[in-house]
Amino acid sequence: MSAASSSPSDTPAEPLLVTVRGLSFRRGDRIIFQNVDLDIPRGKVTAIMGPSGAGKTTLLRLIGGQIRPNAGRIEVDGACVHELGRKDLYQLRKRMSMLFQSGALFTDLTVFENVAFPLREHTRLPEHLIRTLVLMKLEAVGLRGARDLMPSELSGGMARRAALARAIALDPMMILYDEPFSGQDPITMGVLIKLIRTLNDALGLTSIIVSHDVKETASIADYIYLISDGLIVDHGPPDALENSSSAWVEQFLHALPDGPMSFHYPAPAYAQDLALEEEPSRD
Amino acid sequence: MIDGLQRLGRSTLGWLNRLGRATLFLLRLLGALGALVRRPGLIIKQLYSVGVLSLPIIAMSGLFVGMVLGLQGYANLVDFGATSSLGTVVALSLVRELGPVLAALLYAARAGSAVTAEIGLMKATEQLAAMQMMAVDPFARVFAPRFVAGFIAMPLLAGIFTAIGILGGYFVAVYQLGVDSGAFWSQMQAAVGLVDDVINGVVIKSVAFGWVANWIAVFEGYDAIPTSEGISLATTRTVVNTALVVLALDFVLTAIFFGV
């Protein structure tokens, strides 16, 4: 573990699937990431946590090549994602999946057809084999019986599980999870937690979970990065972070209302805004 | 004065910027057409959505427009004892102008707006992003099939609108106003030319309108701000912009084909 550092130099010496070096990204004048370094080891569940608006989802989109960094380098399995042409990028994406916060199921297709979608698009498997594969994936997430339902007929948790079945349809090497637990009831959350860990271990995946659900994410993560204000504030295994002396980590992990992270968005003085104080002279 | 000029300049630059993005979008769309050759099923599914489902409004509107033309044409021609020319008046009005123009406007309102809203919602609910992350190009899978299906459907709908309109005019003229049936059809047959009127009128115009109507519909969906308000605005822009472009284009084509 390192305190308030953006260097991943002390991450476990394991084979890496994703390496991020010197990443800088801004939206307009707002800096989202500033010279960030980050390593994602193969075969592990790595969590990226931080407050809302810290750029967690943006980081997933950068790793997936959906947006390009302003500076730095992002390598996935040895390929620099933002330097790849569309064809090569799509080849790489066939080996990675992303579970979107909303599930992003295709609303005009049944659950079965949603899971079959990547198989139909990228393989020429006969129909009976596609059926077998889809039923296997749906069985893994407990939705084999819901194969004929439309996405609008699913609960939030079921939609996310169906999206998870679709995400593993092509047996990817890596899955990016964008806030998989947000808005879920405790039972569904427990099911998702178990599924993510089980699928990661059973299928030999690499999982990156972006979340601000501290307890749930920490329970299945092998390694955690904490990000805030465009920097990696701290990183390490969950138990090491739990004992961190960093005031920021203490505030975030224990959901303390007061600490280094201000409750208020930057603003002029309250009294001045309410016109209770005279504005400073401009002489 | 200066402020007004600045605003005008800004809105002109904004409009040009949008036109540039729409053109780049169209080029990428055309580049994705090749992938559709192997997947005609995608086009057929959309043909049902934008074409078949538009038939009721197209047929009903065509019928009423033709009937109105019959009544109005009779009211004017009867003064000159030329009611036998009613078939010609109804047919030329529909074939040259009303068929393609009204069909395009109705198409934009029924199918174009639906395409924009569907694509805009797919964007807002991250379905397009999910598709990209699955290494599936939305241009080939979503945009191009809708564009091609609409481009095929538009001339067919304009043809159906025109044909039903003529039938509507016929029923009013013959069964309500007592115009001779033989005169109605023979005068029409003699006056309406295949190339001069049908090809230059309903065919070429509806092909051109189909191109712009579907380009606008698909682009507006793709370019929509992914919020409720953004999709609502994009849908409105599809209908308004298509109407304006179709009417302007109609003037240009009419000047080329029928101008003196």
Side-chain angles (χ1 to χ4, degrees), chain B residues 139-152:
Chain B
F139 276 83
R141 188 67 175 64
V142 177
F143 308 146
R146 282 161 179 76
F147 177 79
V148 172
F151 183 61
I152 294 169

Side-chain angles (χ1 to χ4, degrees), chain B residues 14 16-26 215 219 222-223:
Chain B
L16 285 173
N17 181 289
R18 227 173 127 64
L19 185 65
R21 277 187 292 131
T23 306
L24 289 174
F25 174 84
L26 181 66
W215 177 19
F219 174 71
Y222 166 79
D223 203 46

Side-chain angles (χ1 to χ4, degrees), chain A residues 61 86 93 121-122, chain B residues 28 39 126 132 134 141:
Chain A
R61 291 184 185 276
R86 193 183 307 149
R93 281 183 184 166
E121 290 292 324
H122 296 306
Chain B
R28 209 171 146 199
R39 312 200 45 190
E126 297 182 307
Q132 286 175 318
M134 279 187 264
R141 188 67 175 64

